[in-house]
Amino acid sequence: MQYILLAILFSLGFTNAELQTEPQQGNRIAISIDQDQERFPTNTDFQSLSDLGIVLIETDRVTDLPESLDQRFFILLRTGPVYSTPRQINNNLSIFKQNSIESYQEATRIFPDRIVAVSILNYPYEMSYRFSASAENLADSVSTDIHVPLYYKSILSTTEDLPDGFQFVSNQVQPKENLSATTSSIHFIPGDEERESLKTLENLFNQSLGFDESLIIVPSEWLLNKLEEDPNFQFIIQKYINGETVTIPLPAKEATTPTLNWSVVLLFLIWISFVVHYKYQPIYSQSVARYFTNHPFFVMDIMENRLRNPLPGIYLLLQHAVITGLFFYVSTQVLFSENGLDILAYHFSFLFWSDYILISLFIAGIILALILQAISILWIYLLNNKLRNFSQIINLYSWPLHINLFSVTFLVMFNQVGFGTEWIMALGIIFSLVWFFSFNIAAIDAAKFLDKYRLLNLLGTVGLHVLIVIIALWFIFFSPAIIDPLRFAISAP
């Protein structure tokens, strides 16, 4: 058990004797005030909350709080980095230390003796085996300047081992999460469905009564809106704070209408485009079968300019770009939770042009495919003097990409039926290998018609291509700035 309020009360032992009211031991509620919330509590709101017995505020917006804030309120100060990895903590220890200390000193200047605890990490990568050591280093570095209990906000619903130097951890709970009463400090994240959010909050209230001291942190905007919509909700709050079991009236279940699955719709449109192209483009329908069943004859037709039409190949490249975008979209949807997507957006913000992370990745996949396909075609074309026009290399390069239409089809199907991530990873490998070999096969096919310097051509195309891919994979897997956030995002609940 984490003795949270005992730690808070210990810090309050240094407060002025003039303060007439202090947080009492028991089951407490705090409100959180975040940077991105639209509604900031007014003086009237603070008065109403204090009358209910809610006198703890968790925030990093201390300067936005009114200096005339009721003396009954005490502050849980939120400082430190967000979504940090152990390596980032170690590499930026002095910066993180300075930021936390400066925030604490400013807060104590504005509200002396009313800062009861300081969070120095927000949703760190605590699943890493290196986390405890890095977190302890940060806690040790600030402990001489911050004279109140330290804690961190966890992305997990439970934490087994608390790093030394921290007095408690605030665990995250979202609706529909299977929660057992194993932690006494929780920050509650409401969902879009009110019924599920209230049901989860009711479970949190009742389970926390099993602790002598507990703390539930609720977003101020959500709580104030709920109190306005349902004035009777204040009696539930008061009943809980008094240590009584509560029952929250739940709204009726809303009739749910099936949502449109855009990945299925897009896949269906891609298949329609394939069928239309196959039916109304005779050269295309003949070449598809010939490429896979009589490959040498297909290559001979291309190199001798008997198949000069570049449109089927261009059509395939555009289609494959959309397929790549769909592959990015569905793979990300399967591999990453909402927390994981937020971690990706934080660490790789340059990939996302809007708050719609999945849409951003879909568009990024299309753009990446178009760029890589254009580079590949130019690469082979410029190094082979037997290629007289672009239609030759476009047709040689694009035809193997048909296989990825089946890869992404299985990916969408597996996503619908709930297959494990192992299948998704396997399809991802197949998708990448098809794309990888499409370049190499096209380069080898074109090199066969060279009269001289064939080996040099293969070294400049296939050899260099393989080398670049190996270097890129090595950079991704051995670059902490890339692989650590990816692992963090994939493992986030």
Side-chain angles (χ1 to χ4, degrees):
M1 181 188 295
Q2 303 157 11
Y3 296 97
I4 303 163
L5 294 187
L6 287 179
I8 294 176
L9 290 173
F10 173 78
S11 69
L12 289 175
F14 298 98
T15 59
N16 295 332
E18 297 176 0
L19 297 180
Q20 298 179 355
T21 306
E22 294 178 353
Q24 303 297 315
Q25 284 186 327
N27 306 108
R28 311 304 297 173
I29 297 175
I31 58 167
S32 65
I33 302 176
D34 301 318
Q35 289 286 350
D36 56 351
Q37 70 181 54
E38 297 179 0
R39 174 179 177 178
F40 194 89
T42 63
N43 284 326
T44 302
D45 292 330
F46 284 122
Q47 181 63 46
S48 301
L49 292 169
S50 64
D51 291 342
L52 289 176
I54 300 176
V55 293
L56 288 170
I57 303 171
E58 183 190 59
T59 187
D60 55 359
R61 299 177 61 178
V62 175
T63 55
D64 293 332
L65 295 174
E67 293 193 22
S68 60
L69 183 68
D70 193 310
Q71 293 263 319
R72 288 178 289 180
F73 279 98
F74 296 88
I75 298 171
L76 301 162
L77 180 63
R78 191 166 59 241
T79 70
V82 180
Y83 300 131
S84 54
T85 64
R87 195 179 300 269
Q88 288 176 323
I89 297 172
N90 291 331
N91 293 343
N92 300 279
L93 189 65
S94 60
I95 297 175
F96 294 161
K97 170 188 174 181
Q98 182 180 359
N99 291 341
S100 292
I101 292 174
E102 288 179 354
S103 297
Y104 171 71
Q105 290 173 343
E106 183 179 26
T108 53
R109 179 185 59 81
I110 301 173
F111 299 105
D113 301 322
R114 295 166 72 182
I115 311 301
V116 296
V118 176
S119 166
I120 58 175
L121 290 171
N122 296 283
Y123 306 128
Y125 183 20
E126 60 189 294
M127 294 79 84
S128 170
Y129 70 92
R130 297 190 297 265
F131 168 70
S132 290
S134 62
E136 289 168 8
N137 288 338
L138 181 59
D140 289 341
S141 70
V142 304
S143 59
T144 56
D145 296 279
I146 297 179
H147 308 297
V148 295
L150 301 177
Y151 73 104
Y152 71 88
K153 294 175 70 70
S154 172
I155 205 169
L156 304 177
S157 59
T158 58
T159 299
E160 296 181 1
D161 299 318
L162 186 67
D164 293 340
F166 291 87
Q167 278 65 50
F168 65 96
V169 55
S170 175
N171 293 103
Q172 175 183 271
V173 172
Q174 300 187 44
K176 299 182 180 180
E177 194 160 357
N178 294 324
L179 178 71
S180 58
T182 58
T183 181
S184 56
S185 176
I186 287 170
H187 56 275
F188 170 60
I189 310 295
D192 295 331
E193 296 183 10
E194 184 182 12
R195 180 183 175 87
E196 292 295 335
S197 297
L198 292 175
K199 188 175 181 180
T200 301
L201 185 61
E202 178 187 291
N203 292 335
L204 289 177
F205 280 164
N206 293 330
Q207 290 192 28
S208 67
L209 294 175
F211 296 100
D212 294 331
E213 299 91 26
S214 66
L215 178 65
I216 297 178
I217 303 172
V218 181
S220 63
E221 190 170 24
W222 182 86
L223 181 58
L224 290 171
N225 289 338
K226 182 60 185 174
L227 288 169
E228 285 184 359
E229 295 169 2
D230 181 11
N232 291 326
F233 195 70
Q234 62 180 318
F235 301 114
I236 295 172
I237 299 294
Q238 290 174 330
K239 192 174 181 181
Y240 166 73
I241 291 177
N242 291 332
E244 302 177 41
T245 302
V246 300
T247 300
I248 300 178
L250 302 178
K253 285 186 177 181
E254 297 182 2
T256 56
T257 56
T259 57
L260 195 61
N261 192 316
W262 288 107
S263 60
V264 174
V265 172
L266 186 56
L267 178 64
F268 184 69
L269 293 176
I270 292 172
W271 270 106
I272 289 178
S273 70
F274 171 79
V275 171
V276 170
H277 193 204
Y278 187 88
K279 182 175 181 180
Y280 293 103
Q281 180 59 262
I283 296 177
Y284 174 71
S285 58
Q286 296 170 8
S287 300
V288 169
R290 188 177 301 169
Y291 180 89
F292 292 101
T293 59
N294 196 347
H295 187 74
F297 184 68
F298 173 87
V299 174
M300 185 67 68
D301 280 350
I302 295 296
M303 297 304 295
E304 293 181 357
N305 278 325
R306 286 197 288 269
L307 294 177
R308 300 180 182 181
N309 189 355
L311 292 180
I314 294 174
Y315 186 89
L316 273 176
L317 294 176
L318 294 174
Q319 187 183 67
H320 186 257
V322 178
I323 288 173
T324 303
L326 180 58
F327 181 84
F328 275 38
Y329 180 96
V330 179
S331 298
T332 304
Q333 194 176 43
V334 173
L335 294 176
F336 301 98
S337 63
E338 288 188 17
N339 285 326
L341 292 177
D342 289 338
I343 293 167
L344 285 180
Y346 180 81
H347 284 279
F348 307 107
S349 57
F350 58 90
L351 292 176
F352 307 99
W353 56 274
S354 74
D355 293 334
Y356 299 99
I357 297 176
L358 291 175
I359 299 298
S360 296
L361 284 172
F362 172 72
I363 295 174
I366 293 176
I367 295 173
L368 177 66
L370 291 174
I371 293 174
L372 292 181
Q373 289 170 175
I375 291 174
S376 298
I377 290 171
L378 284 171
W379 187 351
I380 299 174
Y381 178 80
L382 294 175
L383 293 183
N384 192 315
N385 59 15
K386 286 294 183 178
L387 296 172
R388 303 300 174 85
N389 55 67
F390 274 110
S391 64
Q392 292 174 299
I393 185 55
I394 287 174
N395 286 318
L396 287 176
Y397 175 80
S398 61
W399 249 251
L401 298 177
H402 280 98
I403 300 174
N404 277 344
L405 176 57
F406 295 94
S407 298
V408 81
T409 298
F410 283 114
L411 176 64
V412 173
M413 290 172 54
F414 290 170
N415 183 32
Q416 297 303 305
V417 299
F419 273 49
T421 55
E422 297 82 4
W423 286 95
I424 307 303
M425 298 297 288
L427 286 172
I429 293 172
I430 293 173
F431 189 94
S432 302
L433 287 176
V434 168
W435 203 349
F436 173 77
F437 282 111
S438 66
F439 176 93
N440 294 337
I441 293 173
I444 292 171
D445 286 339
K448 291 177 181 178
F449 293 84
L450 288 172
D451 298 324
K452 56 182 180 178
Y453 305 123
R454 183 180 302 174
L455 179 60
L456 187 62
N457 177 269
L458 290 175
L459 289 175
T461 53
V462 177
L464 185 57
H465 179 244
V466 171
L467 180 62
I468 290 174
V469 170
I470 292 174
I471 292 174
L473 291 175
W474 181 89
F475 179 75
I476 291 172
F477 285 103
F478 292 95
S479 175
I482 297 177
I483 195 63
D484 285 352
L486 282 176
R487 287 173 175 165
F488 184 14
I490 291 175
S491 62

